[in-house]
Amino acid sequence: MRVLVVEDNRDLQANIARFLGADFQLDFAATGPQGLTLALSHEYDVIVLDLMLPGMSGIELCQRYRQLAARLVPILMLTARDTLEDKEEGFRAGADDYLVKPFSLRELRLRLEALARRPVPPSGRRLTVGSLTLEPDTGQARRGERGVRLNRTEALLLKLLMESAPEPVSTATLAHQLWGDDAPESSALRTHVYALRGALAELGMDDCITTHRNKGYSLEARED
């Protein structure tokens, strides 16, 4: 597995290298601009991205990478912030997972392996429900002239809801499709649904995902 670690703390870089170096191919960047250059010029299985970086914040790096990159590589964001609002900001920027500092290097390894095993939204035909369209291979969702780029988890989540629309998809089915047998705590799915709603709000469709208590979620995209 090839992993890019964008982290300016040299001691943490060294600890990660010692713990993972024997089994992972690791590249390191200590600034935001350097990390963006490496991320766009090499193929990685996972990108580990610190939130606070010199030259460019992790949020800005994540946003620019998602705008420019051709592949939906999963991003694990490192941060000392753990509120729902902080996580939403990271997910909206394009992160797929969060790891709050301080963290165990063993947990970092488990998160990397789980992210690398996550299903990739398959390339294929454009999906359309009402006025909403999704390009599964790029994560681009559109409504009329407006578009938004989804991260890999959001793209797969929206794809599953669109394929079933307007029928609900159970939380168990969504969790299995998103994470396989490595499903995280139950709040993770709710957080990703919350972030997806935020993305669709940019298209004027913040109310199109309905929560069905004890059943799951459904998509009811309206016509223009």
Side-chain angles (χ1 to χ4, degrees):
M1 185 191 307
R2 187 171 188 180
V3 178
L4 171 63
V5 180
V6 189
E7 167 63 61
D8 64 328
N9 185 311
R10 299 293 184 178
D11 290 336
L12 182 54
Q13 281 191 15
N15 288 338
I16 291 174
R18 282 193 294 269
F19 190 80
L20 299 178
D23 301 312
F24 293 75
Q25 183 178 349
L26 302 172
D27 289 341
F28 289 93
T31 70
Q34 182 186 21
L36 181 61
T37 298
L38 286 174
L40 293 174
S41 57
H42 297 81
E43 290 193 1
Y44 294 101
D45 296 296
V46 184
I47 296 173
V48 179
L49 179 59
D50 188 31
L51 189 63
M52 305 298 294
L53 293 166
M56 180 189 301
S57 72
I59 292 293
E60 183 182 357
L61 192 162
C62 195
Q63 290 172 329
R64 293 182 63 180
Y65 174 75
R66 289 304 191 200
Q67 292 168 355
L68 299 172
R71 298 176 62 235
L72 294 176
V73 176
I75 293 177
L76 172 63
M77 191 165 283
L78 305 178
T79 178
R81 307 172 184 174
D82 62 353
T83 68
L84 178 60
E85 290 74 18
D86 293 324
K87 291 180 178 180
E88 182 193 9
E89 183 183 20
F91 287 139
R92 285 299 327 117
D96 293 275
D97 199 2
Y98 251 82
L99 189 55
V100 178
K101 295 180 177 180
F103 56 84
S104 160
L105 290 173
R106 183 182 177 191
E107 182 177 3
L108 173 63
R109 180 188 185 114
L110 292 173
R111 296 286 188 97
L112 292 175
E113 291 172 342
L115 280 171
R117 288 195 298 268
R118 284 189 186 181
V120 177
S123 299
R125 62 182 179 85
R126 174 187 299 175
L127 298 173
T128 301
V129 175
S131 58
L132 177 66
T133 63
L134 173 68
E135 300 282 354
D137 54 344
T138 65
Q140 184 76 21
R142 301 196 64 85
R143 183 190 181 206
E145 297 299 317
R146 288 185 286 181
V148 63
R149 183 76 176 269
L150 306 177
N151 67 31
R152 190 171 73 159
T153 302
E154 292 168 353
L156 182 53
L157 177 58
L158 181 57
K159 176 180 181 292
L160 294 169
L161 293 174
M162 291 180 75
E163 289 178 336
S164 181
E167 297 300 317
V169 185
S170 71
T171 55
T173 297
L174 290 173
H176 181 75
Q177 290 295 322
L178 291 174
W179 298 293
D181 295 328
D182 300 298
E185 59 187 38
S186 59
S187 63
L189 178 58
R190 292 197 300 272
T191 301
H192 283 290
V193 171
Y194 185 75
L196 178 58
R197 283 181 170 133
L200 295 178
E202 297 183 27
L203 307 180
M205 306 186 73
D206 51 303
D207 59 348
C208 69
I209 297 179
T210 301
T211 301
H212 301 269
R213 190 172 182 180
N214 300 323
K215 290 185 178 180
Y217 301 91
S218 67
L219 179 77
E220 299 178 14
R222 60 181 179 274
E223 300 285 350
D224 285 330

